[in-house]
Amino acid sequence: MSNQGNGNIIQLEDGWNNVIKRGAIDVLERTLDDGFGTSFEPKEYIRIYTTCYDMCTQRSPYNWSRDLYQRHGETIEQYLRNTVLPALQDKTGQGGTILLNELKHRWSNHQIMNKWLKKFFTYLDRYYVKHHSLPTLEQAGLQRFKEEIFQNVKDNATAAIIALVDEEREGGIIDKTLVKSIVELYESMGMGNLDSYTADFETPFLEATRAYYARKREDWITKDSTPDYLIKVEKALNEEKIRVVEYLNPASEPKLRRVVEDEILQKVQMNLLEKEGSGCRVLLANDKSEDLQRMFHLFSRLESGLQPMANIVENFITEMGNACIDKRQTRLDSGEKDKNDDPEFVKSLIDLHEKYLAVIREIFGSHHLFQKALKNSFEEIINNDVGQFSNAELMSTFCDRVLKSGGEKLSEMEVEQSLDRIVQLFSFLTDKDLFAEIYRNQLAKRLLNQRSASDDAEKLMIAKLKVQCGTQFTSKMEGMLNDLAIGNDTKVEFDKYVAKQPPINLSFSPQILTTGFWPSYKSPEIVIPENMTKCLEMFKEWHDVTHTKRKLTWVHSLGNATVRATFGKKAYDLQVTTLQAVALNAFNDGSTLGLEELQKSLNLDLETLKPLMHSLSCGKHKVIIKSPASNKINSTDTFAANAKFTCNMRKIRIPMASIEASHSKARVDEDRSYAIEAVIVRIMKARKTMKHQQLISEVLSQLAFFKPQPRVIKKRIEALIDREYLERSAEDQQQYNYLA
């Protein structure tokens, strides 16, 4: 048979029946049905290809391109309808695996047939199909398979795959390669997209998955504890992830994950968190870190899944803190004296915070919800005062124990750790200004009485407070340290001056304090002995020349002295305050004095004199003898030097109860009033006019060191109105205007 170049025309039926059908299609169908490999000798392939080419390139009316394209589709359709579909229908009732294997086999055969037919009819694809905008031969073949085979078997195939997946979920072993092949068939049926895979497989598969895990959920939630349930959830989620990798389309992974999470986590979240005997609270109480971490990771998968867990954590930490507070309350109720020094209570709060800070960091990955839970719980705990003394004072006194010599026996590293931890607690304190006032008073005592264990530790603590609250908060404390540093230079200069003066039989070392930095102190006008007076006058002469514009005021209640005392044949060095030294000097001549006589000769009020004489006559070292003997100072008592006093130590420190309060509540309130008014004026100057409630909220948001009650802010607003900084609006009494 020759082509038109030799003058011969190939007729449609002749070329189709004698060459294409007999040499290609019949051979293909026969070898596919027999299960043998399909291939064509090069010579035979060229003969068939050339015939197709010639039939498509002959001139009209002998150009058979349209007819060949049509017969290509009909051939595939007839083979699928007459051979493939009956074979699959025979396997439908014989079990899912048998059907899927047959479908896999027939799909593979179809791909082979499609490939060879595409090769034989290549010229059709290249010109006719393109020119007429028709589906390619490969697309047409796929479309025929979809219409004739896939649409008829997809429901049974999907059910078979689902059954196999459920079998694997129950621990069975399945042919994953087979499932993957069928899934790829679903993907191919989409003709370039996943519509068919999604509609015909994924949707029913997800519905079946939801039903499967709903059954599992009901079974697990009844039988298992929360940790055991979550172990099964974790295992199921991992298995589903692996399942997608092994034989499903990657696009199914997020959908499948959401279905599983919804069924076995979302729907029973609160049941799991609150389950009696094994819920979140029980895990926290028993320090089950691994179980808590698993719970955190699993619930973090859910939208807003961590908030209920964070709420439980917050409530639990608050309960633990309240237990510490209740323990302190119980001690006080049982008769223990209430003091501003309760290291046991403060350490319990520090340990509690350290423990749950580590839990938040290590188990919950410092997640912001759990950080907020820790913050909220400790803000409630730290601001819950019990007894006479506030937590601010207890915390400041704890710092005092750590920082003063003779307090806590700690290494440098332990001191730094203790300060770090107390500052962390301080950050939750509402009344930071109250803490600052108390801390400043205690710092002053440590510095002035040379009781500070380490200057570096003092600077470190102030630096930590500065980081927390800013320069304004610590400026006075830094000024106090600076005063002492400058004081060393002052001492050197004054000593040079003293060396040039007539000698005095007294060692004297003054310390200059800047009034604005240091707390306010009582300064009793005590009558100073003559030799001490000379020292004061000498220093005043030098100071007035050196610092002409500064006013000097003596605060004798802060001074210290070392008094040489001789009892019998033994001499002692008594380390006392300046007030004690002056009082001891009154008994130097061996006289006996009543309380009223002492009061007149020393010019002291009873409020100061009683604790002073109590320290000398009723303390551990009774250098003064009181008559009658008792532990209370009465106005009728008489005092004299204790001639029989003895002690094994040569240097004796005689402490005296402070005549100063740990802090001035009135001063704190006054400072707060100034701060509130300053904030109100700053806000109103910027806004010009504001509603009452809006102004209250704005003031509260801007106050950093304390949180006053709204009625206190209202009182300061009234004061500013009286002083004509603000006025009420004539139209609205709830609105304020700023007066420039």
Side-chain angles (χ1 to χ4, degrees):
M1 187 182 295
S2 57
N3 62 20
Q4 63 179 333
N6 297 323
N8 296 323
I9 299 298
I10 303 174
Q11 296 298 324
L12 175 62
E13 297 301 331
D14 184 24
W16 177 261
N17 291 327
N18 295 330
V19 180
I20 299 172
K21 189 171 186 312
R22 185 183 303 164
I25 294 171
D26 291 348
V27 172
L28 264 175
E29 291 181 356
R30 189 166 54 251
T31 54
L32 290 175
D33 290 343
D34 293 342
F36 299 119
T38 305
S39 64
F40 291 87
E41 293 292 330
K43 185 177 179 181
E44 182 63 15
Y45 168 71
I46 291 298
R47 186 176 76 87
I48 298 167
Y49 174 85
T50 303
T51 301
C52 290
Y53 174 82
D54 290 344
M55 293 177 72
C56 292
T57 54
Q58 296 175 145
R59 292 206 177 131
S60 185
Y62 302 106
N63 186 307
W64 309 116
S65 295
R66 182 175 63 83
D67 300 272
L68 289 180
Y69 182 82
Q70 185 176 344
R71 292 194 180 195
H72 164 272
E74 291 171 351
T75 298
I76 294 175
E77 184 179 314
Q78 288 170 6
Y79 178 74
L80 292 173
R81 187 177 295 171
N82 298 332
T83 304
V84 175
L85 185 59
L88 287 167
Q89 288 172 335
D90 287 343
K91 300 293 191 294
T92 299
Q94 299 181 27
T97 304
I98 295 172
L99 172 65
L100 294 179
N101 273 312
E102 184 66 22
L103 181 58
K104 176 184 175 183
H105 169 64
R106 293 299 177 175
W107 168 241
S108 177
N109 283 355
H110 178 75
Q111 288 175 304
I112 293 169
M113 174 180 272
N114 224 17
K115 180 188 75 173
W116 279 108
L117 290 179
K118 180 183 175 183
K119 285 184 176 183
F120 294 140
F121 294 99
T122 297
Y123 191 80
L124 274 177
D125 250 352
R126 193 176 297 164
Y127 294 102
Y128 178 75
V129 167
K130 193 175 289 185
H131 182 70
H132 291 83
S133 301
L134 297 169
T136 64
L137 297 179
E138 183 179 16
Q139 291 171 339
L142 285 174
Q143 188 62 37
R144 289 293 192 282
F145 188 90
K146 182 175 183 179
E147 292 169 357
E148 298 298 330
I149 304 301
F150 182 73
Q151 294 294 351
N152 287 297
V153 301
K154 65 180 182 182
D155 293 342
N156 290 328
T158 299
I161 295 173
I162 290 171
L164 287 176
V165 172
D166 283 350
E167 183 182 338
E168 186 186 31
R169 285 170 175 156
E170 293 294 343
I173 297 173
I174 65 170
D175 187 348
K176 297 177 184 177
T177 307
L178 171 62
V179 177
K180 184 174 179 63
S181 299
I182 304 303
V183 167
E184 288 172 350
L185 164 61
Y186 279 83
E187 292 169 345
S188 299
M189 293 299 98
M191 311 293 179
N193 58 54
L194 291 177
D195 291 351
S196 184
Y197 170 83
T198 302
D200 299 323
F201 171 72
E202 186 181 73
T203 300
F205 172 72
L206 293 177
E207 290 173 359
T209 299
R210 185 177 291 280
Y212 175 85
Y213 280 109
R215 294 191 299 273
K216 287 294 177 185
R217 179 191 70 228
E218 295 305 316
D219 181 39
W220 295 347
I221 199 70
T222 305
K223 296 190 305 185
D224 296 323
S225 65
T226 294
D228 291 340
Y229 184 100
L230 293 178
I231 288 170
K232 291 180 178 179
V233 170
E234 189 175 53
K235 182 171 179 283
L237 287 166
N238 288 335
E239 287 175 351
E240 295 301 330
K241 186 175 182 180
I242 293 169
R243 189 162 289 119
V244 172
V245 172
E246 288 181 336
Y247 52 76
L248 299 179
N249 188 281
S252 296
E253 197 272 335
K255 302 174 190 175
L256 179 59
R257 186 180 70 243
R258 280 195 296 272
V259 166
V260 177
E261 288 169 353
D262 183 56
E263 283 301 320
I264 58 179
L265 276 178
Q266 186 78 59
K267 291 184 177 178
V268 287
Q269 181 180 8
M270 295 312 297
N271 298 38
L272 293 169
L273 288 172
E274 297 173 352
K275 195 160 192 178
E276 188 176 353
S278 64
C280 181
R281 194 182 183 287
V282 176
L283 299 182
L284 285 165
N286 295 313
D287 300 325
K288 297 291 186 181
S289 56
E290 186 179 345
D291 293 329
L292 283 167
Q293 200 163 35
R294 181 180 296 109
M295 179 181 283
F296 170 76
H297 286 308
L298 289 175
F299 286 130
S300 66
R301 292 167 166 265
L302 307 178
E303 185 178 354
S304 304
L306 290 176
Q307 188 62 63
M309 189 177 176
N311 292 341
I312 291 173
V313 171
E314 180 180 331
N315 292 334
F316 179 80
I317 296 173
T318 304
E319 286 177 25
M320 294 298 100
N322 288 336
C324 295
I325 294 168
D326 293 342
K327 191 175 178 183
R328 169 172 159 77
Q329 182 68 65
T330 303
R331 286 193 282 114
L332 296 177
D333 292 343
S334 64
E336 184 176 314
K337 186 178 178 182
D338 192 3
K339 301 182 295 183
N340 68 346
D341 185 14
D342 193 349
E344 179 187 340
F345 173 64
V346 177
K347 282 179 181 176
S348 69
L349 295 182
I350 288 174
D351 292 342
L352 184 71
H353 182 260
E354 278 295 299
K355 178 179 179 179
Y356 289 103
L357 181 64
V359 168
I360 301 303
R361 186 185 298 124
E362 295 164 15
I363 296 177
F364 303 134
S366 297
H367 191 280
H368 69 92
L369 285 177
F370 293 88
Q371 287 183 328
K372 184 181 178 185
L374 182 70
K375 178 176 178 287
N376 291 346
S377 58
F378 266 88
E379 281 179 350
E380 182 173 338
I381 295 164
I382 294 300
N383 295 294
N384 186 0
D385 297 334
V386 168
Q388 179 184 346
F389 300 99
S390 67
N391 288 343
E393 186 162 356
L394 295 176
M395 288 161 59
S396 181
T397 305
F398 182 83
C399 293
D400 190 52
R401 286 176 65 92
V402 171
L403 291 168
K404 73 181 178 183
S405 56
E408 298 279 332
K409 305 296 182 186
L410 302 173
S411 66
E412 285 186 22
M413 183 176 292
E414 288 171 332
V415 167
E416 185 170 355
Q417 286 177 345
S418 295
L419 297 180
D420 267 332
R421 292 167 180 173
I422 200 71
V423 169
Q424 286 174 342
L425 289 189
F426 163 79
S427 68
F428 304 118
L429 199 61
T430 300
D431 296 332
K432 291 182 173 66
D433 59 336
L434 180 60
F435 175 93
E437 180 69 16
I438 300 167
Y439 184 86
R440 194 162 64 96
N441 277 275
Q442 292 171 333
L443 171 63
K445 290 178 183 177
R446 290 196 300 276
L447 296 178
L448 296 176
N449 297 330
Q450 288 85 47
R451 296 294 307 279
S452 183
S454 164
D455 288 344
D456 290 339
E458 296 286 4
K459 290 175 183 176
L460 180 65
M461 179 62 180
I462 292 172
K464 292 180 185 299
L465 292 174
K466 189 174 184 178
V467 169
Q468 277 286 337
C469 300
T471 307
Q472 180 187 351
F473 190 79
T474 58
S475 59
K476 291 182 180 180
M477 300 175 200
E478 290 173 313
M480 291 159 69
L481 292 178
N482 191 47
D483 272 355
L484 295 189
I486 295 171
N488 293 328
D489 298 333
T490 303
K491 185 178 183 303
V492 172
E493 293 176 23
F494 178 63
D495 287 346
K496 290 178 184 177
Y497 175 79
V498 170
K500 298 175 184 178
Q501 305 302 315
I504 55 174
N505 189 25
L506 194 63
S507 176
F508 175 61
S509 179
Q511 174 66 56
I512 298 178
L513 310 179
T514 305
T515 303
F517 296 150
W518 297 79
S520 300
Y521 294 104
K522 289 181 181 178
S523 184
E525 295 293 329
I526 190 168
V527 177
I528 301 294
E530 185 180 349
N531 55 350
M532 293 174 72
T533 304
K534 287 180 180 178
C535 294
L536 301 184
E537 290 173 350
M538 185 184 296
F539 182 77
K540 188 175 187 309
E541 288 173 7
W542 173 83
H543 183 271
D544 289 346
V545 172
T546 310
H547 306 286
T548 55
K549 294 185 179 180
R550 292 184 184 175
K551 181 184 176 184
L552 200 62
T553 303
W554 294 100
V555 186
H556 297 301
S557 59
L558 299 181
N560 296 302
T562 301
V563 176
R564 174 64 54 83
T566 304
F567 295 93
K569 295 181 180 180
K570 191 171 181 182
Y572 300 92
D573 288 341
L574 306 182
Q575 296 176 336
V576 292
T577 67
T578 302
L579 297 182
Q580 287 173 311
V582 173
L584 286 170
N585 187 68
F587 298 97
N588 210 19
D589 57 2
S591 59
T592 299
L593 300 171
L595 190 66
E596 291 183 2
E597 290 179 87
L598 272 173
Q599 184 183 1
K600 290 177 182 177
S601 63
L602 299 179
N603 191 35
L604 289 177
D605 56 48
L606 289 176
E607 189 179 341
T608 303
L609 185 58
K610 282 187 176 182
L612 170 58
M613 295 311 297
H614 187 280
S615 67
L616 298 173
S617 62
C618 301
K620 181 180 178 183
H621 305 290
K622 297 179 176 63
V623 292
I624 299 295
I625 191 165
K626 182 176 84 74
S627 180
S630 69
N631 284 326
K632 188 175 180 183
I633 304 296
N634 297 308
S635 58
T636 57
D637 291 343
T638 59
F639 303 89
N642 185 1
K644 297 179 181 180
F645 175 79
T646 59
C647 184
N648 294 329
M649 297 181 294
R650 186 169 181 273
K651 285 187 176 181
I652 303 171
R653 180 174 173 271
I654 303 178
M656 173 184 165
S658 176
I659 61 173
E660 307 285 345
S662 64
H663 65 283
S664 170
K665 184 71 169 63
R667 177 166 177 169
V668 172
D669 290 341
E670 185 181 355
D671 289 345
R672 287 183 173 183
S673 295
Y674 293 149
I676 294 169
E677 289 182 2
V679 169
I680 293 170
V681 170
R682 185 166 61 245
I683 293 169
M684 291 301 297
K685 188 174 183 179
R687 302 288 185 87
K688 304 304 181 190
T689 180
M690 274 187 99
K691 290 279 190 180
H692 174 78
Q693 203 56 48
Q694 189 182 0
L695 179 57
I696 296 285
S697 301
E698 192 73 24
V699 169
L700 286 170
S701 70
Q702 290 195 26
L703 287 170
F705 304 144
F706 64 98
K707 289 289 179 282
Q709 293 293 324
R711 68 174 184 275
V712 176
I713 302 174
K714 185 179 180 182
K715 192 174 180 181
R716 298 330 310 158
I717 293 172
E718 297 290 347
L720 289 170
I721 291 173
D722 291 342
R723 282 154 37 210
E724 298 184 354
Y725 283 91
L726 309 177
E727 68 173 5
R728 278 196 170 85
S729 171
E731 292 80 21
D732 185 354
Q733 289 294 299
Q734 288 295 307
Q735 184 166 306
Y736 304 110
N737 299 326
Y738 178 70
L739 298 176

